[in-house]
Amino acid sequence: MMKKKDSAGLGMTIPKRMRIAGMTFYLRNGQLIGRESSTHEKRSNTLPQFIQRQKMRHTTALWKMLSFCNVMFTERRTAYQNFASLANHLPVVYVPDDGIMNQASFLMPDIPVSDGTLPMIKLQLGEVNGTPALLTNLKVEDRTRHTKLMLYTAVQTFEYEMPRVRFHMREISWWNDMTVVDDHLALVGEEFADEMKGWALVKVINDLCSPQTIVTRCTVYQQYTTEEALEKAADSYGGLTETPYLSPR
């Protein structure tokens, strides 16, 4: 008669009860029984937890829009991990859990659009002879035919009352699109006065790129960074969990 093997013989220990993917499993008379888990325990939502969840919500919403472009993030295992690490330093925007704002995204300075090993292009919004412009630290001698310039344009839109950033990308010609200003290169045009847009100029050589972030005059996001916005958003999630004081030992 073959001897029945138990979990100990396999080097495993099966706990009396465990939860996996919304199911609870437990042993009854030597049999493994599974049932759907249910709990009424309130999810912990301390201020640090809430802030981090709001950061991740916005990071995910931004990436969803940016990933439609041909983005280059080469400094981590995946492009999203690279983007998320950089976006974690953006201002926190607090939005309520009302079904409309869950996918909201906001145009703000320093949104990353690329990360790589080429030198960063310094960008600044300004004017050239009274015309709005995107000023750069690129010089005339930097122009080469094997180096591409990709212009990312971010637009703050409102879709069914939900703020959302849309990103577009196009290649810029060193010779046809750039204007020489005091031996430096600039993009000149009325669009650079638009307070609902932002821009980043990325240098690309083969598989290498420069790390770049958005420059913008847009301030829509600021109303979602206040203490009042935090309280309103937290209340919509059931309020914040008070952090208990540690008892002295």
Side-chain angles (χ1 to χ4, degrees):
M1 181 176 181
M2 184 177 293
K3 183 177 180 181
K4 181 180 180 181
K5 294 184 179 180
D6 56 22
S7 59
L10 296 174
M12 300 185 298
T13 300
I14 299 178
K16 292 183 178 180
R17 185 183 296 265
M18 60 182 176
R19 293 182 62 190
I20 302 175
M23 296 289 291
T24 297
F25 297 90
Y26 56 94
L27 287 173
R28 176 185 293 173
N29 298 326
Q31 290 186 327
L32 186 63
I33 307 296
R35 63 177 175 78
E36 186 176 357
S37 300
S38 62
T39 178
H40 301 286
E41 182 180 352
K42 186 178 179 181
R43 184 187 189 191
S44 176
N45 196 31
T46 64
L47 180 58
Q49 288 173 332
F50 181 68
I51 289 174
Q52 192 57 40
R53 287 166 184 160
Q54 288 288 289
K55 280 187 176 184
M56 288 307 301
R57 186 213 63 78
H58 192 227
T59 294
T60 302
L62 283 173
W63 179 253
K64 182 177 181 180
M65 295 292 99
L66 181 60
S67 60
F68 285 109
C69 296
N70 184 24
V71 292
M72 294 183 69
F73 289 91
T74 64
E75 300 308 292
R76 285 181 178 263
R77 190 169 62 87
T78 68
Y80 174 73
Q81 287 178 349
N82 201 166
F83 171 80
S85 176
L86 297 171
N88 192 54
H89 301 288
L90 293 173
V92 186
V93 284
Y94 304 104
V95 298
D97 183 27
D98 61 3
I100 297 176
M101 297 292 287
N102 288 336
Q103 298 298 317
S105 54
F106 298 90
L107 177 56
M108 58 179 64
D110 299 325
I111 294 174
V113 300
S114 65
D115 194 20
T117 58
L118 296 181
M120 175 183 288
I121 302 173
K122 294 182 180 179
L123 303 173
Q124 180 181 348
L125 292 170
E127 292 185 351
V128 173
N129 298 326
T131 302
L134 180 64
L135 308 175
T136 82
N137 68 334
L138 295 171
K139 295 186 176 182
V140 174
E141 55 264 33
D142 292 326
R143 296 186 294 191
T144 60
R145 295 193 178 278
H146 69 278
T147 303
K148 294 182 179 180
L149 288 180
M150 311 304 295
L151 179 67
Y152 288 79
T153 301
V155 184
Q156 181 71 75
T157 65
F158 293 88
E159 303 172 10
Y160 303 101
E161 301 182 359
M162 179 183 65
R164 174 170 276 178
V165 184
R166 293 284 182 180
F167 295 90
H168 308 279
M169 180 269 290
R170 65 185 177 94
E171 185 174 352
I172 294 296
S173 169
W174 286 93
W175 288 267
N176 297 330
D177 297 320
M178 304 293 284
T179 298
V180 180
V181 182
D182 296 330
D183 197 39
H184 287 78
L185 301 176
L187 288 169
V188 182
E190 293 297 333
E191 70 169 303
F192 297 109
D194 195 330
E195 295 184 352
M196 300 298 280
K197 290 184 178 181
W199 301 268
L201 193 60
V202 179
K203 183 188 294 186
V204 179
I205 302 177
N206 297 323
D207 293 331
L208 304 178
C209 70
S210 58
Q212 300 295 157
T213 60
I214 292 288
V215 293
T216 182
R217 297 187 181 94
C218 188
T219 59
V220 172
Y221 75 96
Q222 292 179 357
Q223 62 187 290
Y224 294 92
T225 63
T226 64
E227 189 74 22
E228 181 181 357
L230 188 159
E231 293 177 358
K232 182 178 179 181
D235 287 344
S236 72
Y237 282 89
L240 296 177
T241 304
E242 292 187 8
T243 303
Y245 291 102
L246 294 177
S247 302
R249 294 187 179 182

